[in-house]
Structures are given as structure tokens and as C-alpha cells.
Amino acid sequence: MFKSRSSMQDIKTSCKTSGLDIYRKVPKDLTQPTYSGAVVSILCCVFMLFLFLSELTGFIATEIVNELYVDDPDKSSGGKIDVSLNISLPNLNCDLVGLDIQDEMGRHEVGHIDNSMKIPLNHGFGCRFEGEFTINKVPGNFHVSTHSATAQPQSPDMTHIIHKLAFGEKLQVQHVQGAFNALGGADRLGSNPLASHDYILKIVPTVYEDLSGKQRFSYQYTVANKEYVAYSHTGRIIPAIWYRYDLSPITVKYTERRQPLYRFITTICAIIGGTFTVAGIIDSCIFTASEAWKKIQIGKMS
């Protein structure tokens, strides 16, 4: 008798608990499978699979976000910027080619030779200059000229090709399209041999931060140029290739980001729930329309 009372109480408790179920079950004998429902179900599954794969691709992929702010990002550089220059002068002997550097902090260096190399071209009639040096983070210029030569040539030919001019650390990132080597490939072989060339550069500090938080510092730059014939105080033409630079106060920062897991899960739930809901509405409309059509046909036959 005690056991029967206990079992009755368990049944009552179970009934009360099941009353809270918001996902009521429909017996199978009360459902009716249809051909249109099967088609809608298949299309629904294909559509959900397509959306799931699209979201999964976006979740795995890395997004690069850029922002602008005013600051000096690389304070550990000691106020210096690394420069890499590679230029060919096919009609000027290597003995005459030199690099001069000067800026507003009073630096004035003629014939810079550290970390530089001169490669003869055209059987010694031309020269390819490759050099790496540093400049201060103040306005200034560096120029390729014959100023450091012991004897100045009568008619120096400054026609040239710039293979590379880059500042800071080299960045090779697939989805970042920046002007890190804006003058790369500049061809001035068809210009006036005695003309000087002015390249006015606006250097923009650039920071790239990967997913691990590691930062790399580089510099992009914009360029404008002009060509003119310059005379010295003695009336001689002394051409040069000038790179006049100034730094922008604006820093560009690229940051790698990945979609958070909770957002991915939320999106997948929304895809599944939304697709099932819309598919159910479509299937219900098709079924209701087909049933109405059957009744109309039966009415005509009777």
C-alpha cells in the first residue's frame, strides 16, 4: 500500500513537470508526409549547409582592420628610421656616384659609404647603387649626386631607374595594399641627362599587429616629383637626385582579428532556426494551397 501511494505521487510529479515542456511532441500517426514537404526539406538542408560553410570560412579567415591615430608608434627606435635604397644610373661611372644626407638636426654627411655597395653596369660606364642607412625623424633630404667625387665631370648623366626605396621594417602581408615602395620601378631613362630630379616624400608611420599581439613597424609614403636644370654659383650644371622627406603625424595601424567563437555559434543558431521557420511557413502555405485545390476539384466532380 505504501509503494502504491509513492508511485502515484511520482506520476503526479511527472505530469506537473511535463506540463512545463514548451516543445510538445506530435504523435507520428497524426503527421502526414508530402512530396512538397520532402522537396522543401531537401532545399532547406542544402541552404543551411551553404550558409554554415560560408560562416565557417569567415570564422577561420583572418580579418585585417585598419585605424588612424596621432602618435609615434616606434618609440624604441631612438628617433631613427631605417632606409633601403636601390638605384641604377646606367650612364654614370661608380667613381662619381655618392650619397649625401642632411636634415634639420644639423646632420650633413657627404659621401655616405656605410652599408652601401656600388655595382658597375654597362662595362663600367654605369653604376648600380645599393645602400642601407638611417635618417632622423625630422624633415631633411638625402640625394644621389657627384658631390663627393674628387673631380666633377663636365656633363654628368643622372638618368636613372629606382628599383627600391623603402623605410622601416619590410612588411609582406597578403591583404595589406600599401605604398611601402611607391617609387619602385620609377624609370627616368628618357629624361634630360643634365636635369636634377626632386622626389618630395610624405612618410606615414605604419604598424602591423598580428593575432599574437606582435607588432612590426614600417613606413608608407606618398611621392610627388619634378624635374629641372640646376646651375651652381659658377654657372655649371650639377644635377642630382633628391629625396626630400617629411613625416606625417598620423599613424596607420593594421590589426589582425578573428571572429569570436560566441558570435560564430550565435550566427549558426540563427541560421538553423531562421531557415527551419521560413521553410515551415513555405511548406505550410504549399500544403494549404494543395488541400484547397483538391477540395475545389472534388467540388467540380460532384
Side-chain angles (χ1 to χ4, degrees):
M1 185 68 180
F2 177 77
K3 291 184 178 179
S4 61
R5 286 181 179 178
S6 176
S7 60
M8 288 294 292
Q9 289 177 354
D10 292 342
I11 292 173
K12 289 181 179 179
T13 303
S14 176
C15 291
K16 290 180 180 180
T17 305
S18 61
L20 300 175
D21 184 11
I22 61 175
Y23 302 103
R24 303 297 178 93
K25 309 301 183 293
V26 180
K28 289 187 177 179
D29 55 350
L30 297 180
T31 61
Q32 179 182 351
T34 61
Y35 176 77
S36 61
V39 173
V40 171
S41 298
I42 293 173
L43 293 177
C44 173
C45 292
V46 172
F47 184 66
M48 282 193 298
L49 179 61
F50 169 74
L51 292 181
F52 172 77
L53 293 177
S54 299
E55 286 297 324
L56 181 62
T57 303
F59 174 70
I60 296 174
T62 301
E63 179 187 12
I64 297 179
V65 180
N66 61 74
E67 58 180 314
L68 303 176
Y69 61 92
V70 179
D71 194 11
D72 180 9
D74 191 10
K75 296 181 175 64
S76 61
S77 64
K80 304 286 186 181
I81 300 176
D82 294 326
V83 184
S84 179
L85 175 64
N86 189 331
I87 183 172
S88 291
L89 298 95
N91 301 310
L92 193 64
N93 189 277
C94 283
D95 294 334
L96 303 174
V97 176
L99 177 68
D100 309 328
I101 307 171
Q102 57 188 19
D103 60 36
E104 292 186 359
M105 290 183 66
R107 181 182 182 183
H108 191 181
E109 190 174 345
V110 179
H112 179 87
I113 59 174
D114 295 337
N115 298 322
S116 62
M117 179 172 54
K118 300 177 184 179
I119 304 171
L121 301 175
N122 298 337
H123 305 287
F125 291 101
C127 185
R128 178 166 179 158
F129 179 87
E130 299 179 9
E132 294 183 354
F133 53 97
T134 61
I135 58 175
N136 295 315
K137 291 183 178 180
V138 295
N141 74 79
F142 52 92
H143 51 275
V144 177
S145 66
T146 61
H147 299 166
S148 60
T150 53
Q152 294 297 319
Q154 291 297 322
S155 54
D157 188 336
M158 300 303 289
T159 54
H160 60 277
I161 298 176
I162 302 174
H163 305 288
K164 179 183 178 183
L165 176 61
F167 300 87
E169 188 177 348
K170 184 178 182 180
L171 288 181
Q172 287 185 333
V173 184
Q174 183 178 2
H175 300 292
V176 175
Q177 303 296 328
F180 297 98
N181 186 23
L183 277 174
D187 188 339
R188 299 293 183 267
L189 295 180
S191 61
N192 183 351
L194 297 177
S196 290
H197 300 265
D198 255 14
Y199 296 102
I200 297 103
L201 313 177
K202 193 70 172 181
I203 301 175
V204 182
T206 304
V207 183
Y208 187 87
E209 183 176 320
D210 58 21
L211 289 173
S212 64
K214 180 182 177 182
Q215 292 185 339
R216 286 180 285 171
F217 303 97
S218 187
Y219 297 85
Q220 304 181 64
Y221 62 92
T222 60
V223 59
N225 68 287
K226 62 179 179 179
E227 179 182 329
Y228 59 94
V229 177
Y231 294 88
S232 68
H233 62 279
T234 60
R236 292 183 57 188
I237 299 176
I238 306 179
I241 304 170
W242 297 82
Y243 302 92
R244 307 182 192 273
Y245 62 87
D246 193 7
L247 272 77
S248 169
I250 303 296
T251 296
V252 179
K253 183 178 182 181
Y254 298 99
T255 307
E256 286 185 355
R257 291 182 184 173
R258 186 166 287 168
Q259 183 181 358
L261 180 60
Y262 73 86
R263 186 177 298 174
F264 172 70
I265 295 174
T266 303
T267 305
I268 295 303
C269 292
I271 289 173
I272 295 173
T275 305
F276 267 118
T277 302
V278 174
I281 294 173
I282 294 174
D283 179 60
S284 177
C285 292
I286 294 174
F287 180 76
T288 303
S290 64
E291 289 296 313
W293 178 254
K294 288 179 182 178
K295 289 181 180 179
I296 293 173
Q297 294 298 322
I298 292 173
K300 288 183 178 179
M301 291 176 63
S302 62

